[in-house]
Amino acid sequence: MNILVNGVLETVPARTIAELVADKKLAASSLVVELNQQIIKQEQWPQTRIQAGDRLELLSFVGGG
């Protein structure tokens, strides 16, 4: 299925946000996911389905000094 991830067209096998995060090996603890301009809470990732044409923004926060 084709979706936009951070503005880049990608073909992904994932069906949920949780699967996509796992497939990309991202650290969920520091990740914010926006699906079609709506922030999705982490506890909703396993049941939030991804559909062809969706737009996702995956934002990682990094601390620093």
Side-chain angles (χ1 to χ4, degrees):
M1 143 176 59
N2 293 325
I3 60 173
L4 279 175
V5 179
N6 295 345
V8 177
L9 185 63
E10 293 189 20
T11 301
V12 298
R15 298 287 177 210
T16 66
I17 292 174
E19 289 176 9
L20 180 68
V21 170
D23 288 349
K24 291 186 162 291
K25 297 178 177 42
L26 298 172
S29 61
S30 62
L31 189 67
V32 173
V33 176
E34 182 183 285
L35 173 62
N36 299 324
Q37 300 181 337
Q38 181 179 0
I39 293 175
I40 306 299
K41 293 181 180 180
Q42 191 169 353
E43 58 267 13
Q44 296 173 322
W45 294 357
Q47 65 266 18
T48 303
R49 303 208 38 95
I50 300 171
Q51 298 181 2
D54 278 348
R55 295 173 179 259
L56 283 100
E57 294 292 327
L58 306 177
L59 307 167
S60 292
F61 291 95
V62 179

